[in-house]
Amino acid sequence: MRQAPKTSDPYMDADRVTLDNEAAILYWTYRFDVSPEELAEAVDVVGDSVDAVAAYLNTGR
C-alpha cells in the first residue's frame, strides 16, 4: 500500500491543483490515483480547481 505524501507545504492551496513542485505533484497524483501525465491533462482541460479536476478524472475522460 502506498503511503500518503506529506502535505506540509505552506504554499499548497487545498482548493487548487498545483503542478509547480514535486511535493504537490506527488500529493495530487496520490489523492486522485492517477499518473502525473493524467493529472497534467486534467489541469490543462479544466483548470486547477480541485472540484473540476476531480469531476474530469471521475468521468472516464
Side-chain angles (χ1 to χ4, degrees), residues 1-2 4 6 8 10-13 16-19 23-26 28 31 33 42-43 46-48 50 52 55 59:
M1 177 185 275
R2 291 191 317 176
K6 299 191 187 294
S8 61
Y11 300 105
M12 208 160 105
D13 183 347
R16 302 281 167 219
V17 176
T18 58
L19 303 175
I25 293 169
L26 287 173
W28 292 116
R31 177 164 173 191
D33 193 27
V43 172
V46 299
D48 64 359
V50 171
T59 60

Side-chain angles (χ1 to χ4, degrees), residues 23-53:
I25 293 169
L26 287 173
Y27 173 78
W28 292 116
T29 56
Y30 178 84
R31 177 164 173 191
F32 292 124
D33 193 27
V34 296
S35 71
E37 294 80 14
E38 291 170 312
L39 182 63
E41 174 189 318
V43 172
D44 285 344
V45 172
V46 299
D48 64 359
S49 163
V50 171
D51 292 337
V53 170

